[in-house]
Amino acid sequence: MAKVSIGQISSLGYNFIPSHYLPEGENEYHLRNKQQKKEREYRNLTTSEIELLKKNNNYCPDWSKIWVSELFEPNHIQNCKFYGVVRIGNIEPIYLEYRDLKLACGIYNSQIISSDIGDRVAIHQVRYMAHFIIGNEVMLSNINEMETSSNAKFGNGILKHGDPEKRRIWLELCNENGGRSVLPFDGMQAADAYLWTRQRQDDILQQRFVEMTERKFSPSHGYYSEIADYVVMKNSDIVKDVRIGPCAYIKGVNKLKNVTVNSTEEAYTQIGEGCELVNGIIGHGCRIFYGVKAVRFILSSFSQLKYGARLINSFLGDNSTISCCEVLNSLLFPAHEQHHNNSFLCASVIQGQSNMAAGATIGSNHNSRAADGEIIAKRGFWPGLCVSIKHNSRFASYTLLVKGDFLHELDIRIPYSLVSNDTFNNQLVIVPGYWFLYNMYALMRNNSKFLARDKRKFKNQYLEYDILAPDTINEMFDALHEIEHAVGKAFADEYQRQDYQALGKELLDQDIDLNTREILFENTENSTRKVILLKVRESYVLFRQMIAYHASLLLAEQCSTAGGVAQFVENINQLKSERLVFENIGGQLIPTGDVENLLRQIRSGEIQSWDEVHQRYHSWSKEYPLNKLKHALASLQEISGKPMETWDSAFIQDCLQESIQTKTWIYEQIYRSRAKDYKNPFKQMVYGSYSEMETVVGKLEDNSFIKQQKEELEQYKEKVNVLLTTDQKVFS
């Protein structure tokens, strides 16, 4: 049962730090004094001020412990109780206003225990405030309980002196059994969490991560909660062990406990009604509204939790939105979207630009009796309506799952694929390159959509949103080999050959009908049923075309920067490189060699802080455009079969001309895939006329994205024409 202790009223507000944790020669206010951001001169109250405070129904057992600034208006403190050492900044005869809330400057109907109050604050009906530092021009209204523990950690996964290990907060990411847990800390990036959740067999590396985190924070007792300048907080219940940044707006919360809320004037955070947030870190510019429950979590900058969302033991990357649904034990890279009450996500690594449809159940069942399964999905993962999948499963970039129950573990290795259950024939069907073939509008719109949603003020970490990038290009190369092998094996008996990949490549390059055989894709589903590949030639040709197109886009940009095609060719040897493997760490694409070198330096102790790690991310971001170009050129060399040292102006010109054709085809596919919606009679049937449909959904010719793509196509044609014209003049 709960035990209530008894103490003398004269000791209320004192001995915040247990005496055995006080450094020698220090008092209990030594950290409180360091936390003060502004220099102030305080004085004792005058006798007349004390009498006036008493007259205004204020109480303090020892008025000598109340310190005030020079500008002090006793009439603006009414019906309050003060205990311990309380320091009050300037109080002036003014009022503060935020939106429709207007409050007189001063302290009214409140109980303040051992706290520092800034200048020109308005504190009304704060029934209990203990061990807080309040900034300037803060508005606090109708709050039940604000308190601080002497060993407060503000959401960070650290221990204070004397804390038992069991009190440490871990985020149990990626796996429900806690085997990939990480320690949360203010400033943690998705890349940090990802690197930490990998290499679990490396005890030394894992210990280094713990040491780097603990090194960021003091283990001392005695830090006060902080409410920074210009914060507005009203109509809330429990606020305990918090650090809240400037300009945050908090209203109607049930509980904020052991939480850091980052906020600035340019990127202010808002937290709304009915929310309960415990053991978490909240990034700059976040929005959290309407009954959200989050426990053991990190919410990265400019992300949103809304409408009853539940986020537990999870990391949500920058520029993401979760509303209504439940997310457990997951690591979600930037630009994640999940909006539906019956959508469930558990024990997963989702590597960004994803969208969870209504009824999607990602990770609800396991292949053993233990909750130890995991799901890994690369960029652009899109499970359709009412999809359920089984642990363990893995998905290539831009995988689209058709509505249905996928009862077996899956390893989908071909990007841009449509995956569906053919229940009638009891087989799994995969259409590689589906997005290119049938829904170019939605695919290409992602590029613009995610760039527009990236609200970060300091984009010193290069988050890759382009559908064509080193990771997806490498996946397409791997897919080409997989398709060649599958086709070759399907026809091996007919041609009496065992070199499946070589045979498949020959057949795909020939004009023969591949539909005479079932093309089976092996090691894809953990079942005995068939996995069928469709549209193999179409996807094979498209992947090769898109690899060349991606390289040509960067070629055009580089030639423009270099002053023309001829100048680019002269310096081409400086760009020669192997086609490197890139790893997606938190939305940032990094050559695997660089990642391994970073981990080696952490393991050896050469890198000892997360700040150093973050500086490495920033330096990689600066290097990325050049690395991306080199990777694209290496890919073009490989797909064309023409070594870079043999490239000349004629070859470059041909690539640029072909890229215009491909970009034109992409624009036409974007237009056609959207135009289908306007021609579909089932789309039209809910409208009284075609003109009503246009009024409701907008005219096709007015579609802003299609207009934008048309403009980009014309601009690209002009850029290439200038390059070709300039090159012709050089050689004329």
Side-chain angles (χ1 to χ4, degrees), residues 396-455:
S397 297
Y398 297 96
T399 297
L400 173 62
L401 301 179
V402 174
K403 175 180 178 179
D405 297 324
F406 293 87
L407 303 179
H408 310 283
E409 300 95 317
L410 296 171
D411 186 11
I412 306 301
R413 303 183 296 278
I414 299 180
Y416 311 105
S417 290
L418 177 73
V419 181
S420 62
N421 267 320
D422 180 355
T423 54
F424 182 80
N425 294 302
N426 191 29
Q427 60 189 17
L428 188 73
V429 176
I430 300 176
V431 182
Y434 165 85
W435 289 102
F436 296 136
L437 291 167
Y438 300 108
N439 202 347
M440 189 72 81
Y441 179 89
L443 181 64
M444 300 304 293
R445 185 170 170 267
N446 280 346
N447 282 5
S448 301
K449 180 175 68 174
F450 293 122
L451 283 170
R453 291 177 179 174
D454 191 346
K455 303 298 184 183

XYZ file of all heavy atoms in Angstrom, residues 396-455:
501
model
N 11.757 -5.003 -50.701
C 12.567 -4.070 -51.480
C 11.876 -2.714 -51.554
O 10.715 -2.551 -51.155
C 12.795 -4.627 -52.884
N 12.585 -1.729 -52.067
C 12.045 -0.372 -52.152
C 10.784 -0.332 -53.004
O 10.684 -1.010 -54.031
C 13.089 0.565 -52.749
O 14.225 0.641 -51.928
N 9.831 0.482 -52.553
C 8.594 0.757 -53.287
C 7.829 -0.526 -53.611
O 7.337 -0.724 -54.715
C 8.899 1.565 -54.557
C 9.472 2.913 -54.235
C 10.846 3.116 -54.239
C 8.659 3.975 -53.861
C 11.392 4.349 -53.883
C 9.190 5.199 -53.515
C 10.562 5.378 -53.528
O 11.096 6.593 -53.182
N 7.741 -1.388 -52.616
C 6.898 -2.574 -52.730
C 5.464 -2.202 -52.394
O 5.201 -1.547 -51.381
C 7.378 -3.683 -51.786
O 8.691 -4.095 -52.160
C 6.441 -4.880 -51.833
N 4.534 -2.633 -53.245
C 3.105 -2.421 -53.021
C 2.441 -3.773 -52.808
O 2.528 -4.660 -53.664
C 2.480 -1.710 -54.233
C 0.952 -1.559 -54.233
C 0.482 -0.728 -53.052
C 0.485 -0.933 -55.547
N 1.782 -3.943 -51.651
C 1.087 -5.190 -51.341
C -0.403 -5.020 -51.590
O -1.029 -4.105 -51.057
C 1.318 -5.580 -49.879
C 2.765 -5.801 -49.441
C 2.812 -6.148 -47.966
C 3.418 -6.908 -50.253
N -0.970 -5.912 -52.374
C -2.395 -5.884 -52.659
C -3.159 -6.430 -51.456
O -2.658 -7.273 -50.708
C -2.704 -6.719 -53.924
C -4.212 -6.816 -54.164
C -2.030 -6.100 -55.134
N -4.369 -5.926 -51.270
C -5.227 -6.353 -50.173
C -5.232 -7.870 -50.031
O -5.416 -8.606 -50.998
C -6.649 -5.856 -50.424
C -7.676 -6.328 -49.407
C -9.052 -5.791 -49.749
C -10.088 -6.291 -48.756
N -11.433 -5.769 -49.047
N -5.027 -8.319 -48.791
C -5.087 -9.758 -48.554
C -4.243 -10.162 -47.368
O -3.472 -9.377 -46.811
N -4.383 -11.419 -46.976
C -3.609 -11.990 -45.877
C -2.434 -12.768 -46.455
O -2.625 -13.756 -47.179
C -4.487 -12.928 -45.039
C -5.634 -12.197 -44.369
O -5.420 -11.042 -43.953
O -6.729 -12.780 -44.261
N -1.244 -12.317 -46.124
C -0.040 -13.016 -46.563
C 0.389 -13.912 -45.401
O 0.922 -13.443 -44.398
C 1.040 -12.008 -46.945
C 0.681 -11.201 -48.158
C -0.056 -10.027 -48.033
C 1.033 -11.623 -49.433
C -0.407 -9.284 -49.147
C 0.680 -10.880 -50.552
C -0.038 -9.711 -50.415
N 0.133 -15.201 -45.539
C 0.205 -16.131 -44.420
C 1.605 -16.674 -44.182
O 1.824 -17.395 -43.208
C -0.758 -17.293 -44.659
C -2.228 -16.895 -44.865
C -3.084 -18.136 -45.126
C -2.752 -16.131 -43.661
N 2.536 -16.354 -45.078
C 3.886 -16.896 -44.963
C 4.912 -15.764 -44.985
O 4.646 -14.678 -45.498
C 4.169 -17.862 -46.116
C 3.102 -18.897 -46.324
N 2.971 -20.010 -45.526
C 2.098 -18.968 -47.237
C 1.938 -20.725 -45.942
N 1.389 -20.118 -46.977
N 6.081 -16.036 -44.439
C 7.152 -15.054 -44.469
C 7.523 -14.738 -45.918
O 7.517 -15.614 -46.783
C 8.380 -15.571 -43.721
C 8.131 -15.883 -42.256
C 7.803 -17.343 -42.001
O 7.008 -17.919 -42.786
O 8.331 -17.912 -41.033
N 7.860 -13.474 -46.163
C 8.151 -13.012 -47.521
C 9.528 -12.376 -47.587
O 9.960 -11.707 -46.648
C 7.112 -11.977 -47.972
C 5.670 -12.448 -48.112
C 4.754 -11.249 -48.360
C 5.546 -13.461 -49.232
N 10.204 -12.573 -48.718
C 11.448 -11.872 -49.015
C 11.322 -11.323 -50.435
O 11.689 -11.981 -51.410
C 12.644 -12.812 -48.898
C 13.970 -12.081 -49.070
O 13.966 -10.834 -49.062
O 15.019 -12.758 -49.218
N 10.778 -10.120 -50.536
C 10.543 -9.487 -51.845
C 11.789 -8.678 -52.189
O 12.069 -7.651 -51.585
C 9.295 -8.584 -51.802
C 8.085 -9.379 -51.302
C 9.028 -7.983 -53.176
C 7.729 -10.583 -52.138
N 12.533 -9.126 -53.195
C 13.845 -8.546 -53.494
C 13.845 -7.645 -54.720
O 14.867 -7.034 -55.034
C 14.868 -9.674 -53.695
C 14.959 -10.609 -52.495
C 16.017 -11.667 -52.667
N 15.746 -12.573 -53.765
C 14.933 -13.613 -53.710
N 14.256 -13.873 -52.583
N 14.760 -14.397 -54.756
N 12.728 -7.551 -55.431
C 12.664 -6.739 -56.647
C 11.922 -5.441 -56.330
O 10.779 -5.477 -55.864
C 11.962 -7.492 -57.785
C 12.739 -8.769 -58.118
C 11.848 -6.610 -59.024
C 12.129 -9.592 -59.238
N 12.529 -4.291 -56.576
C 11.882 -3.019 -56.226
C 10.736 -2.678 -57.171
O 10.603 -3.250 -58.258
C 13.019 -2.007 -56.360
C 13.913 -2.589 -57.407
C 13.860 -4.079 -57.200
N 9.905 -1.731 -56.729
C 8.784 -1.187 -57.515
C 7.776 -2.276 -57.883
O 7.085 -2.190 -58.891
C 9.284 -0.510 -58.794
C 10.404 0.461 -58.589
C 11.711 0.135 -58.947
C 10.184 1.709 -58.017
C 12.761 1.016 -58.740
C 11.222 2.599 -57.807
C 12.504 2.243 -58.173
O 13.540 3.116 -57.969
N 7.684 -3.325 -57.066
C 6.854 -4.485 -57.409
C 5.467 -4.397 -56.794
O 5.277 -3.848 -55.704
C 7.521 -5.784 -56.932
O 8.660 -6.080 -57.685
N 4.507 -4.981 -57.519
C 3.175 -5.258 -56.980
C 3.153 -6.717 -56.561
O 3.496 -7.609 -57.356
C 2.114 -5.011 -58.051
C 0.670 -5.334 -57.655
C 0.126 -4.298 -56.702
C -0.221 -5.433 -58.882
N 2.760 -6.979 -55.311
C 2.734 -8.339 -54.775
C 1.301 -8.668 -54.405
O 0.651 -7.922 -53.656
C 3.645 -8.464 -53.538
C 3.634 -9.889 -53.007
C 5.069 -8.025 -53.871
N 0.788 -9.781 -54.937
C -0.612 -10.121 -54.671
C -0.787 -11.618 -54.476
O -0.013 -12.438 -54.997
C -1.509 -9.647 -55.820
O -1.156 -10.282 -57.032
N -1.817 -11.954 -53.715
C -2.208 -13.351 -53.520
C -3.173 -13.773 -54.616
O -4.229 -13.157 -54.786
C -2.921 -13.517 -52.174
C -1.972 -13.912 -51.065
O -1.079 -14.712 -51.259
N -2.186 -13.329 -49.889
N -2.833 -14.794 -55.352
C -3.773 -15.423 -56.279
C -4.359 -16.628 -55.551
O -3.845 -17.743 -55.639
C -3.043 -15.836 -57.559
C -3.971 -16.497 -58.578
O -5.155 -16.726 -58.250
O -3.504 -16.797 -59.691
N -5.416 -16.358 -54.782
C -5.965 -17.417 -53.936
C -6.630 -18.518 -54.751
O -6.656 -19.674 -54.329
C -6.982 -16.826 -52.944
O -7.979 -16.086 -53.663
C -6.285 -15.886 -51.968
N -7.157 -18.175 -55.932
C -7.830 -19.180 -56.761
C -6.843 -20.258 -57.201
O -7.143 -21.452 -57.159
C -8.468 -18.513 -57.978
C -9.221 -19.461 -58.863
C -10.502 -19.865 -58.529
C -8.646 -19.960 -60.022
C -11.200 -20.754 -59.333
C -9.327 -20.851 -60.836
C -10.616 -21.244 -60.485
N -5.656 -19.819 -57.605
C -4.629 -20.773 -58.049
C -3.618 -21.100 -56.956
O -2.640 -21.815 -57.215
C -3.887 -20.211 -59.264
C -4.782 -20.073 -60.482
O -5.371 -21.047 -60.945
N -4.905 -18.850 -60.986
N -3.844 -20.551 -55.758
C -2.957 -20.785 -54.629
C -1.497 -20.499 -54.989
O -0.620 -21.354 -54.894
C -3.086 -22.219 -54.107
C -2.357 -22.394 -52.770
O -2.241 -21.443 -51.999
N -1.865 -23.595 -52.523
N -1.259 -19.256 -55.402
C 0.104 -18.854 -55.737
C 0.289 -17.366 -55.430
O -0.684 -16.616 -55.307
C 0.405 -19.134 -57.213
C -0.514 -18.405 -58.185
C -0.329 -18.870 -59.624
O 0.234 -19.931 -59.885
N -0.791 -18.065 -60.558
N 1.544 -16.974 -55.273
C 1.895 -15.575 -55.077
C 2.332 -15.000 -56.414
O 3.096 -15.637 -57.152
C 3.031 -15.446 -54.053
C 3.379 -14.029 -53.599
C 2.300 -13.481 -52.680
C 4.738 -14.012 -52.874
N 1.843 -13.801 -56.728
C 2.136 -13.181 -58.019
C 2.877 -11.868 -57.789
O 2.462 -11.050 -56.965
C 0.845 -12.929 -58.824
C 1.156 -12.201 -60.133
C 0.135 -14.249 -59.103
N 3.972 -11.684 -58.521
C 4.774 -10.467 -58.411
C 4.890 -9.825 -59.787
O 5.257 -10.494 -60.769
C 6.181 -10.764 -57.858
C 6.082 -11.387 -56.457
C 7.031 -9.495 -57.811
C 7.415 -11.796 -55.874
N 4.570 -8.533 -59.843
C 4.735 -7.762 -61.077
C 5.874 -6.765 -60.840
O 5.669 -5.709 -60.232
C 3.449 -7.011 -61.463
C 3.650 -6.252 -62.779
C 2.277 -7.980 -61.577
N 7.086 -7.073 -61.300
C 8.189 -6.126 -61.117
C 7.946 -4.835 -61.903
O 7.337 -4.848 -62.972
C 9.400 -6.886 -61.681
C 8.985 -8.321 -61.733
C 7.511 -8.307 -61.977
N 8.407 -3.732 -61.353
C 8.280 -2.465 -62.063
C 6.860 -1.979 -62.216
O 6.574 -1.142 -63.082
N 5.950 -2.471 -61.366
C 4.535 -2.117 -61.491
C 4.322 -0.606 -61.510
O 3.528 -0.086 -62.295
C 3.742 -2.753 -60.345
C 2.360 -2.174 -60.175
C 1.294 -2.658 -60.931
C 2.113 -1.131 -59.277
C 0.020 -2.120 -60.794
C 0.848 -0.590 -59.139
C -0.189 -1.081 -59.891
O -1.439 -0.535 -59.770
N 5.013 0.106 -60.611
C 4.801 1.548 -60.508
C 5.130 2.242 -61.820
O 4.418 3.160 -62.244
C 5.660 2.130 -59.386
C 5.208 1.750 -58.014
C 5.745 0.801 -57.200
C 4.104 2.307 -57.296
N 5.060 0.739 -56.018
C 4.049 1.659 -56.044
C 3.171 3.304 -57.582
C 3.095 1.972 -55.091
C 2.222 3.614 -56.622
C 2.184 2.958 -55.395
N 6.217 1.835 -62.476
C 6.581 2.444 -63.753
C 5.552 2.123 -64.829
O 5.224 2.954 -65.680
C 7.952 1.942 -64.219
C 9.087 2.325 -63.322
C 10.060 1.402 -62.990
C 9.193 3.611 -62.806
C 11.118 1.743 -62.169
C 10.242 3.958 -61.973
C 11.208 3.022 -61.661
N 5.035 0.904 -64.781
C 4.138 0.446 -65.840
C 2.721 1.004 -65.705
O 2.084 1.317 -66.718
C 4.074 -1.086 -65.834
C 5.349 -1.816 -66.270
C 5.263 -3.291 -65.905
C 5.566 -1.649 -67.767
N 2.233 1.160 -64.457
C 0.806 1.407 -64.290
C 0.438 2.601 -63.399
O -0.710 3.022 -63.423
C 0.120 0.147 -63.725
C 0.265 -1.048 -64.624
C 1.097 -2.102 -64.284
C -0.419 -1.103 -65.845
C 1.241 -3.201 -65.120
C -0.287 -2.200 -66.685
C 0.552 -3.245 -66.319
O 0.702 -4.316 -67.145
N 1.364 3.102 -62.602
C 0.981 4.213 -61.727
C 2.148 5.182 -61.557
O 2.583 5.483 -60.442
C 0.514 3.703 -60.364
C -0.367 4.724 -59.648
O -0.443 5.889 -60.054
N -1.018 4.303 -58.587
N 2.614 5.691 -62.674
C 3.727 6.635 -62.653
C 3.340 7.927 -61.923
O 4.189 8.568 -61.302
C 4.177 6.949 -64.079
C 5.457 7.749 -64.173
S 6.926 6.804 -63.742
C 7.188 5.933 -65.294
N 2.078 8.296 -62.004
C 1.621 9.529 -61.343
C 1.914 9.480 -59.850
O 2.529 10.395 -59.289
C 0.129 9.726 -61.587
C -0.450 10.958 -60.916
C -0.465 12.184 -61.572
C -0.977 10.896 -59.630
C -0.987 13.321 -60.956
C -1.500 12.023 -59.008
C -1.507 13.229 -59.681
O -2.015 14.341 -59.061
N 1.474 8.408 -59.182
C 1.667 8.306 -57.735
C 3.140 8.182 -57.383
O 3.608 8.767 -56.399
C 0.886 7.112 -57.186
N 3.889 7.433 -58.184
C 5.304 7.223 -57.894
C 6.093 8.518 -57.976
O 6.833 8.874 -57.061
C 5.880 6.191 -58.864
C 7.358 5.849 -58.671
C 7.586 5.189 -57.324
C 7.837 4.932 -59.796
N 5.943 9.241 -59.083
C 6.728 10.450 -59.274
C 6.243 11.589 -58.378
O 7.023 12.475 -58.022
C 6.682 10.882 -60.738
C 7.241 9.850 -61.714
S 8.941 9.364 -61.336
C 9.808 10.891 -61.668
N 4.975 11.555 -58.011
C 4.462 12.594 -57.109
C 5.139 12.512 -55.746
O 5.259 13.518 -55.037
C 2.946 12.456 -56.977
C 2.285 13.564 -56.162
C 0.775 13.501 -56.284
N 0.132 14.402 -55.336
C -0.281 14.053 -54.119
N -0.124 12.796 -53.710
N -0.862 14.921 -53.314
N 5.589 11.306 -55.366
C 6.282 11.157 -54.088
C 7.497 12.065 -54.000
O 7.788 12.627 -52.936
C 6.714 9.702 -53.882
C 5.570 8.833 -53.396
O 4.544 9.338 -52.971
N 5.746 7.533 -53.483
N 8.235 12.195 -55.136
C 9.423 13.054 -55.114
C 9.073 14.454 -54.634
O 9.698 15.009 -53.732
C 10.032 13.145 -56.519
C 10.836 11.908 -56.878
O 10.870 10.939 -56.131
N 11.479 11.946 -58.025
N 8.066 15.046 -55.261
C 7.677 16.414 -54.920
C 7.034 16.478 -53.543
O 7.283 17.415 -52.771
C 6.701 16.949 -55.974
O 7.285 16.929 -57.257
N 6.216 15.486 -53.232
C 5.467 15.507 -51.972
C 6.391 15.507 -50.767
O 6.242 16.322 -49.850
C 4.529 14.293 -51.925
C 3.701 14.202 -50.655
C 2.714 13.052 -50.740
C 3.402 11.704 -50.726
N 2.453 10.577 -50.676
N 7.367 14.627 -50.748
C 8.226 14.520 -49.579
C 9.199 15.692 -49.477
O 9.546 16.121 -48.380
C 8.963 13.188 -49.585
C 8.045 12.011 -49.390
C 7.971 10.999 -50.330
C 7.236 11.935 -48.275
C 7.117 9.928 -50.161
C 6.377 10.864 -48.086
C 6.314 9.858 -49.030
N 9.643 16.208 -50.603
C 10.482 17.402 -50.563
C 9.712 18.583 -49.987
O 10.231 19.354 -49.169
C 10.994 17.744 -51.966
C 12.154 16.891 -52.488
C 12.402 17.178 -53.969
C 13.416 17.141 -51.681
N 8.442 18.724 -50.403
C 7.624 19.837 -49.912
C 7.341 19.700 -48.421
O 7.187 20.699 -47.712
C 6.319 19.903 -50.697
N 7.274 18.473 -47.919
C 6.951 18.244 -46.507
C 8.175 18.308 -45.596
O 8.033 18.204 -44.373
C 6.271 16.877 -46.349
C 4.879 16.830 -46.947
C 4.285 15.437 -46.822
N 2.941 15.377 -47.374
C 2.234 14.258 -47.499
N 2.748 13.113 -47.095
N 1.027 14.274 -48.028
N 9.343 18.447 -46.182
C 10.555 18.513 -45.370
C 10.690 19.922 -44.796
O 11.190 20.835 -45.450
C 11.779 18.156 -46.213
C 13.023 17.954 -45.355
O 12.992 18.337 -44.175
O 14.016 17.423 -45.876
N 10.218 20.113 -43.576
C 10.163 21.440 -42.955
C 11.381 21.739 -42.088
O 11.405 22.748 -41.390
C 8.901 21.546 -42.090
C 7.601 21.277 -42.842
C 7.367 22.290 -43.954
C 6.005 22.049 -44.617
N 5.793 22.971 -45.749
